[in-house]
Amino acid sequence: MKTEDVTGDAPRLYQALLPHLHPALWNDVRNTRTLAWRVSGLVLSQSVSIPSWLPHIYSQATVAQTTERRCRRWLENPAIDPGSVDGPLITQALRDWGPHSLTLALDTSILFGRFCLIRVAVVPRVLEHASAQVSPEQLLPVLAEAKGLLDFLGLHDVRLLADRGCCDTALMGWLRVCGWHFRIRIKSNLILAAPDGQRVCTIGEIKLAVRETRFFHNVTLTGYRFGPVHVALGRLTDGPEQWQVVSDEPTGLGTFAASGERLQMEEGFLDDKSGLFGLENAKRRDAASLERLILVIAVATLLLVFEKLHIVQQGGRKTIDPHWNRALSSLKLGLRGCLFALSRGRAGLNRLTLQGRRSGASRTSQEIASQPCGRFGRRLGAQISLSLINCVRPSG
């Protein structure tokens, strides 16, 4: 039975996925088809449970347990390197980016109280590490992999957004050597010092009134006097939570809004877990197998987000979303668009390229960071509310 001759949602989706996966560096071309079926099963079942994929996987096996064993063997296959799969996909996606600034979000999440999922944009890596706070030695291999991909594409104007768990002067130093900009939330116990190295106070000793902001330029951090850097402090609500951001660029109100874009990563973790795919229900308990399972999720996420972008650019959001003003995630919108196309005999997922957004030619990155954002930053309010009020994932 040839898949090309079979009708139905799963075969159409499978055929749409294959062209995107073929450029990967496979040791065996059969692994391409296997991954395409795994992604099809994940998208159509909306679950990481392997048994829930089986109705959507076509094979010559007559016993469901045979297909399930094949899925498990694929996840356990040491010859499958996630980096050789997601690398070519990212290269495809950014090949038409152009000479524009690229923003990457870095964040971590805990799985099963035993593993740490590190994600740079959509590139995931899993460590056996029971804390969301990771050292530079653990982060740098992942970032170096991302830098290699971007250097290959000629993308050097890069800005990294990260949370407090990634706050370390060694990481900032590495980013500075790479020529990347950064905006990182910092901890309250960091020492703030004047440009001459004279200790001023710790960050936590600076108390702000509600809606108050303060900016410190050309200062140094910690007893090692790392700098010069720029620090932005802001308090949105009556609660004790303050936003504390360090950047290598001059800071302003726009810094909070730009740093708040990192919270889209929190939204992605929520979709991976209880929001959509149910990663917390996975039965895998070794880092390598988990990383391959998350690779399946990452491939699906990348393609579905591109489907959402295509739908929005074509003006078709109202066709798939009856409540278009609500904050549905890009992944969920892409999933709706994919299922909408399949229900009408189309495959979708036919686009995997992203073009950089053009900004004003006369505006420098410093001007963009320091520009006023009305009413203490509408975007800041929306993004911080998502974190503090809805408690997507408490920081720290």
Side-chain angles (χ1 to χ4, degrees):
M1 178 183 64
K2 292 185 177 181
T3 310
E4 295 85 345
D5 301 329
V6 180
T7 59
D9 291 352
R12 279 199 299 272
L13 184 57
Y14 167 82
Q15 291 296 333
L17 289 167
L18 277 179
H20 300 305
L21 301 179
H22 273 309
L25 304 176
W26 296 104
N27 64 312
D28 189 328
V29 71
R30 291 174 295 181
N31 288 326
T32 311
R33 298 191 287 268
T34 304
L35 177 58
W37 279 123
R38 305 303 172 259
V39 175
S40 299
L42 175 71
V43 170
L44 294 174
S45 68
Q46 300 172 38
S47 171
V48 298
S49 170
I50 293 178
S52 66
W53 299 352
L54 302 185
H56 310 290
I57 296 177
Y58 282 67
S59 73
Q60 296 180 350
T62 57
V63 179
Q65 196 175 62
T66 302
T67 306
E68 183 179 18
R69 281 199 300 267
R70 288 176 180 171
C71 292
R72 296 187 187 282
R73 284 199 300 267
W74 189 89
L75 294 176
E76 297 166 358
N77 187 353
I80 297 174
D81 176 21
S84 65
V85 179
D86 52 35
L89 279 173
I90 297 299
T91 302
Q92 289 184 69
L94 295 177
R95 64 183 182 273
D96 296 327
W97 183 259
H100 307 288
S101 176
L102 179 68
T103 299
L104 299 178
L106 167 67
D107 210 345
T108 59
S109 181
I110 294 298
L111 296 173
F112 316 120
R114 178 181 165 189
F115 301 98
C116 180
L117 169 59
I118 302 173
R119 177 168 285 163
V120 181
V122 295
V123 178
R125 294 295 177 262
V126 178
L127 304 175
E128 190 160 355
H129 180 70
S131 172
Q133 183 169 338
V134 291
S135 66
E137 291 75 16
Q138 295 166 313
L139 284 174
L140 291 185
V142 185
L143 290 171
E145 186 177 346
K147 184 180 186 304
L149 289 173
L150 298 180
D151 286 349
F152 174 75
L153 292 165
L155 302 178
H156 305 292
D157 187 3
V158 180
R159 184 169 292 103
L160 184 77
L161 311 179
D163 200 9
R164 287 173 293 195
C166 305
C167 176
D168 193 285
T169 55
L171 172 62
M172 298 179 203
W174 184 86
L175 294 170
R176 180 167 284 176
V177 170
C178 291
W180 287 11
H181 302 294
F182 57 84
R183 294 194 180 105
I184 302 175
R185 287 191 72 185
I186 53 179
K187 300 176 183 179
S188 298
N189 60 358
L190 283 186
I191 297 173
L192 184 68
D196 60 3
Q198 182 178 0
R199 185 185 188 277
V200 177
C201 62
T202 64
I203 297 294
E205 290 173 351
I206 304 173
K207 304 300 182 183
L208 304 180
V210 177
R211 299 171 64 85
E212 182 184 359
T213 60
R214 290 189 189 179
F215 306 100
F216 301 88
H217 300 290
N218 298 308
V219 295
T220 63
L221 294 177
T222 75
Y224 296 102
R225 301 178 182 177
F226 178 84
V229 293
H230 311 274
V231 175
L233 306 179
R235 183 179 173 197
L236 180 69
T237 66
D238 291 327
E241 182 80 12
Q242 290 186 171
W243 265 56
Q244 304 160 169
V245 180
V246 62
S247 175
D248 66 320
E249 302 170 289
T251 52
L253 288 179
T255 302
F256 295 108
S259 181
E261 294 177 355
R262 182 196 57 81
L263 295 176
Q264 297 176 31
M265 185 70 80
E266 310 281 357
E267 187 179 75
F269 283 134
L270 182 64
D271 284 336
D272 290 349
K273 296 180 179 180
S274 59
L276 187 59
F277 292 133
L279 179 58
E280 291 176 326
N281 299 322
K283 304 300 182 183
R284 317 308 297 179
R285 290 299 184 272
D286 65 283
S289 295
L290 266 175
E291 192 166 294
R292 294 185 193 97
L293 177 60
I294 294 171
L295 169 66
V296 177
I297 296 176
V299 171
T301 297
L302 182 65
L303 293 171
L304 290 175
V305 168
F306 274 91
E307 181 73 5
K308 175 260 183 183
L309 292 174
H310 179 67
I311 291 169
V312 170
Q313 289 173 0
Q314 296 297 317
R317 174 164 182 168
K318 294 183 179 180
T319 305
I320 62 172
D321 184 11
H323 307 288
W324 52 86
N325 287 325
R326 64 184 175 185
L328 236 106
S329 71
S330 296
L331 176 59
K332 289 180 178 177
L333 283 172
L335 177 62
R336 289 191 179 194
C338 178
L339 297 178
F340 182 86
L342 290 171
S343 68
R344 284 151 179 79
R346 306 190 303 271
L349 303 182
N350 53 5
R351 173 177 173 171
L352 186 60
T353 182
L354 191 63
Q355 295 180 339
R357 291 180 295 178
R358 296 183 181 275
S359 57
S362 61
R363 298 169 67 198
T364 66
S365 57
Q366 288 85 354
E367 290 170 338
I368 294 172
S370 59
Q371 66 178 339
C373 291
R375 300 177 64 185
F376 187 44
R378 289 183 294 273
R379 293 176 65 194
L380 171 64
Q383 296 287 3
I384 296 183
S385 295
L386 176 65
S387 177
L388 302 183
I389 298 175
N390 294 334
C391 297
V392 173
R393 181 176 73 88
S395 298

